[in-house]
Amino acid sequence: MSKNDRFEIIHQEGNGLTKPQCLVLMDTATGVQYLFVSSGNSGGLCPLVDKEGGPLKWDV
């Protein structure tokens, strides 16, 4: 696996300029999903969690 293949975009909304950009990223090594939101010059990243509070995982 090359270092550029670690994260995969599995869902995308918005463009980041006129509407905030929301991406759901998946770590291909662990299957853990993350939410990334950006709007203009700001942004944030957080892991998605299931109803028990554990990381939301995709079967890899």
Side-chain angles (χ1 to χ4, degrees), residues 4-19:
N4 293 332
D5 294 337
R6 177 72 187 258
F7 293 94
E8 180 179 326
I9 297 172
I10 58 175
H11 183 78
Q12 181 175 1
E13 294 179 13
N15 61 16
L17 297 174
T18 59
K19 185 176 177 185

Side-chain angles (χ1 to χ4, degrees), residues 9 13 17-18 20-23 29-30 32-33 35 39 45-46 49-50 55-56 59-60:
I9 297 172
E13 294 179 13
L17 297 174
T18 59
Q21 184 177 36
C22 299
L23 302 173
T30 64
V32 175
Q33 297 177 33
L35 176 65
S39 182
L45 177 75
C46 67
V49 296
D50 61 19
L56 191 60
D59 290 330
V60 290

